[in-house]
Amino acid sequence: MLDSKPMKSTHDSSGAAPTLVDGGAGYQLPVFPFVTPPELAGERSRRYPVVIVGGGLVGLTLACDLATRGVAAVVLDEDDTVGVRGASSRGMCYAQKSLEVFDRLGIYERLLEKGVKWSVGRTLSEGDELYAFDAQLDCVSAQAPFLNLQQFYVEWFLVDRIAELGLTDLRWKSRVTGAVRHDSHVVLQIETPEGAYSIEADWVIDATGANSPLRDYFGMQINPERGTDRWCICDVRFSKQLPAERWTWVAAPFNEGRAVWQHPMADGVWRLDYQMAPDCDPQRVSHPDVAHERVSAHLGKDVEFEMVWIGPWHYRNQMLEHFRLGRVLFIGDAAHAMSPFGARGGNSGIQDADNLGWKLALVVNANASGSLLDSYCSERRAAASENIAVTKRTARFLAPQSEAERLLRDAVLSLACHYPFARALVNTGRLSVPNRYPAVTGIDGAGESLQNVPVKTPHRHTTLARYSLEQGTRLLALYFPLSPTDATADHLRAHQHKWPLLRFAVCAPGADLDDGGALSEPPGTLVLVRPDLYTAGRLQAPTVKTLEHMVATSLTQSLESSS
Ligand SMILES: Cc1cc2nc3c(=O)[nH]c(=O)nc-3n(C[C@H](O)[C@H](O)[C@H](O)COP(=O)(O)OP(=O)(O)OC[C@H]3O[C@@H](n4cnc5c(N)ncnc54)[C@H](O)[C@@H]3O)c2cc1C
């Protein structure tokens, strides 16, 4: 769909100046230069601690996370730009947990400046509004509930930030064409414009997306389940004033009674996404004249608009049986793919990177054994499984599979206009939320995601994400004292030498939800917070022994599922 041709040079903070190319009628994507790697420049080859294959949304998030923790990774990408060539407009909706991650990585402000914050969603059918929600009402995080921004911008800002951090070796035009696993390392074959070479890595991360070639190299089965539902995106710029809200029609009168999504994005562009007939011809429905007519019916005949990008798409559900194969870990779409309903694809990949980053940093720096990485697999596989189940239910609601399902769906829609109970059954996509992780044997309160709320100690007033960032890859033990004279924290602190990977903080007594939404626990509670802002557990009346057990569990076998 994209016919890319060089347009003009631009500056970039990476130092390796990209060129801008026309990524369709209205998108300009950077092109990053190929730089001769040391292996092709005659230097002796060496073994790298971490090689990430795939510099898409998830691979870049992990590289950036590792760089903030002082781990230098090599990233190999077969392309030389952001976004996937030919599909430059894919993901656009980022949920709060992702925004909290991006705050910690240092790109949130830039995303905020470029993107569109929103919290109100409306669901319509025919001409009626069925219901509306405002996610801001339940939000206590420092970050917005949702932000819309074309995916390639997020990737672009990550590339810039990675360059700023200065640790990562980002290699463009470097396609991995083969991989061999050994007990102690993995060997990768790479093709570049200047020839082929191979490198060794202690750990390889497969972030090559839904069509991962690495899975094939290692003979891994994924068994995709392909949906028959067909959609067509039209990214459009127009002058008509519309609120910065997410609108979804289950049955739009201007789309032959099929579903439609309407989202604002950056640069004054709107994502209009139309459900098509299952037997449609993708070439025909995405033809500019046909798409033009559809958008005109949607916006009104008198509204002038500019078509920025058109792309037909369909989806599949797939998930690997194991997210780890020895020294290879699978993240993002390479590990799991699902329909985009509820924006769970990219957001869950970002959470994969968030979960894996701190664990890998500990393992690479010999602060934890490789078995800690098994908890990445058990936690994120459970999350992927839940996300696939949730998105499948939405897909079924939007595209009923039988006449009986359609009758039921239509009954729900007509009831939802009048009765609140039926609104809960209208399913146009359950928006991405952080998944709860499986319980841990012998530990209370593990596996809950904490929002990025204020944390108040007698000397500091900051947010949880900033506090965690300052701790690097250490766990944070937050103690909520029984009284101003409670000596428990002092007693525990006297044994701090036992736990080099833990930092104590005593929260200000009386800090509670009425106090600006600050983190709050019952007095006498210690909550152990992981670097990904998940709880590692809670202790009432903590002792040296119980804390020791909880820290050891978090850093060894970690959150091994008990279920
Ligand atoms: C229509 C649509 C709408 C979506 N909307 C949303 C949304 O609103 N929010 C959301 O969160 N998600 C959304 N998603 C999902 C999201 O786009 C994906 O989940 C996300 O792109 C996955 O990122 P990834 O890094 O795992 O894979 P990819 O983005 O596919 O990146 C893979 C990278 O690997 C590289 N690569 C591949 N093979 C090789 C090789 N052999 N050697 C070297 N490099 C290689 C590629 O060049 C690419 O850069 C949407 C998806 C679609 C299709």
Side-chain angles (χ1 to χ4, degrees):
M1 173 111 236
L2 295 182
D3 178 20
S4 300
K5 58 182 188 300
M7 288 181 69
K8 61 175 181 190
S9 293
T10 180
H11 90 285
D12 178 68
S13 53
S14 66
T19 311
L20 286 187
V21 291
D22 186 357
Y27 289 134
Q28 292 196 318
L29 304 179
V31 172
F32 301 102
F34 170 76
V35 177
T36 309
E39 289 79 4
L40 287 177
E43 285 181 32
R44 246 185 66 211
S45 70
R46 43 174 287 225
R47 185 178 295 178
Y48 297 93
V50 179
V51 175
I52 300 170
V53 188
L57 179 69
V58 180
L60 291 170
T61 302
L62 179 64
C64 195
D65 183 283
L66 289 172
T68 64
R69 303 183 190 289
V71 176
V74 175
V75 180
L76 303 166
D77 197 281
E78 64 181 2
D79 210 344
D80 57 4
T81 186
V82 287
V84 170
R85 210 179 275 281
S88 70
S89 187
R90 282 201 295 167
M92 38 69 65
C93 175
Y94 297 94
Q96 193 167 69
K97 183 76 182 177
S98 300
L99 301 176
E100 292 171 349
V101 171
F102 290 142
D103 182 49
R104 192 164 44 69
L105 300 186
I107 64 164
Y108 178 64
E109 294 305 323
R110 225 177 145 190
L111 297 176
L112 201 56
E113 201 181 311
K114 186 75 183 167
V116 180
K117 271 197 310 184
W118 65 273
S119 65
V120 173
R122 297 185 193 281
T123 299
L124 305 97
S125 185
E126 301 297 342
D128 300 320
E129 178 174 312
L130 299 181
Y131 68 92
F133 65 82
D134 185 350
Q136 191 62 51
L137 300 177
D138 301 323
C139 172
V140 291
S141 172
Q143 271 63 56
F146 299 102
L147 186 128
N148 287 355
L149 182 60
Q150 291 87 327
Q151 179 170 329
F152 60 82
Y153 277 126
V154 182
E155 295 179 19
W156 194 344
F157 297 166
L158 281 165
V159 171
D160 282 356
R161 179 68 180 139
I162 284 169
E164 226 169 69
L165 291 165
L167 264 185
T168 311
D169 182 355
L170 195 37
R171 301 184 186 181
W172 302 103
K173 283 279 175 208
S174 303
R175 169 179 292 156
V176 171
T177 53
V180 179
R181 292 190 313 113
H182 299 271
D183 286 346
S184 61
H185 66 283
V186 181
V187 179
L188 297 172
Q189 271 83 48
I190 301 151
E191 265 177 30
T192 77
E194 290 180 5
Y197 66 98
S198 64
I199 56 174
E200 292 184 0
D202 290 335
W203 298 97
V204 164
I205 314 303
D206 180 3
T208 53
N211 298 316
S212 160
L214 270 79
R215 291 191 311 244
D216 295 340
Y217 303 152
F218 300 132
M220 297 175 82
Q221 298 290 324
I222 194 150
N223 303 327
E225 201 181 277
R226 293 178 194 280
T228 51
D229 206 9
R230 294 288 178 269
W231 291 74
C232 184
I233 288 174
C234 296
D235 286 354
V236 177
R237 197 180 278 118
F238 49 82
S239 53
K240 185 176 178 175
Q241 290 299 311
L242 290 173
E245 299 175 347
R246 170 202 198 241
W247 286 16
T248 59
W249 283 263
V250 186
F254 51 84
N255 190 35
E256 297 172 355
R258 288 188 290 269
V260 175
W261 265 248
Q262 176 182 297
H263 273 266
M265 301 191 292
D267 303 333
V269 176
W270 287 73
R271 160 69 50 87
L272 307 178
D273 202 350
Y274 300 94
Q275 188 181 34
M276 299 282 98
D279 54 357
C280 71
D281 170 3
Q283 292 297 329
R284 210 192 87 78
V285 296
S286 57
H287 187 281
D289 293 344
V290 178
H292 198 282
E293 209 169 299
R294 192 182 308 128
V295 173
S296 192
H298 177 168
L299 296 176
K301 296 275 178 228
D302 53 334
V303 177
E304 285 187 17
F305 60 86
E306 175 198 357
M307 202 67 95
V308 178
W309 193 84
I310 310 169
W313 61 275
H314 60 280
Y315 54 79
R316 65 182 120 152
N317 295 303
Q318 59 186 31
M319 182 168 76
L320 278 172
E321 193 60 36
H322 301 286
F323 286 8
R324 176 179 176 185
L325 184 68
R327 290 181 163 269
V328 184
L329 291 132
F330 299 84
I331 62 172
D333 280 10
H336 49 75
M338 60 204 75
S339 63
F341 307 130
R344 285 174 182 252
N347 283 294
S348 66
I350 291 162
Q351 289 178 54
D352 289 350
D354 191 39
N355 185 299
L356 182 58
W358 66 276
K359 295 174 182 174
L360 197 55
L362 285 175
V363 172
V364 165
N365 291 324
N367 285 316
S369 80
S371 66
L372 177 58
L373 302 176
D374 291 336
S375 72
Y376 158 74
C377 305
S378 55
E379 290 175 351
R380 293 311 303 165
R381 198 174 179 283
S385 173
E386 184 183 335
N387 287 331
I388 289 175
V390 170
T391 51
K392 269 181 158 178
R393 284 197 288 274
T394 303
R396 201 87 188 229
F397 189 83
L398 294 172
Q401 298 295 295
S402 65
E403 203 39 45
E405 275 186 25
R406 181 170 293 281
L407 277 173
L408 195 66
R409 202 271 305 257
D410 291 349
V412 165
L413 292 179
S414 55
L415 286 170
C417 289
H418 308 288
Y419 302 104
F421 82 89
R423 288 171 203 158
L425 304 172
V426 178
N427 187 347
T428 57
R430 307 285 188 230
L431 284 153
S432 170
V433 287
N435 306 78
R436 208 184 186 300
Y437 292 149
V440 186
T441 317
I443 304 279
D444 285 336
E448 284 168 31
S449 172
L450 296 169
Q451 288 193 58
N452 184 21
V453 291
V455 177
K456 292 182 178 181
T457 70
H459 313 293
R460 296 282 316 277
H461 187 175
T462 183
T463 63
L464 197 54
R466 293 292 158 101
Y467 211 161
S468 165
L469 182 65
E470 288 165 25
Q471 309 322 314
T473 306
R474 288 188 293 187
L475 301 168
L476 186 58
L478 294 172
Y479 181 63
F480 294 78
L482 290 162
S483 70
T485 56
D486 184 347
T488 310
D490 290 340
H491 176 63
L492 294 173
R493 226 185 238 125
H495 295 78
Q496 171 90 56
H497 61 277
K498 287 176 188 273
W499 309 298
L501 293 173
L502 180 131
R503 165 82 192 266
F504 275 107
V506 180
C507 292
D512 57 27
L513 286 175
D514 298 332
D515 196 5
L519 188 66
S520 169
E521 295 283 339
T525 306
L526 181 144
V527 57
L528 193 60
V529 182
R530 308 186 333 181
D532 55 1
L533 303 196
Y534 267 81
T535 56
R538 284 191 178 79
L539 292 170
Q540 298 301 324
T543 63
V544 173
K545 201 170 163 210
T546 55
L547 183 57
E548 202 162 11
H549 173 64
M550 190 180 273
V551 173
T553 308
S554 309
L555 297 178
T556 50
Q557 140 276 358
S558 190
L559 302 186
E560 194 81 46
S561 165
S562 62
S563 51

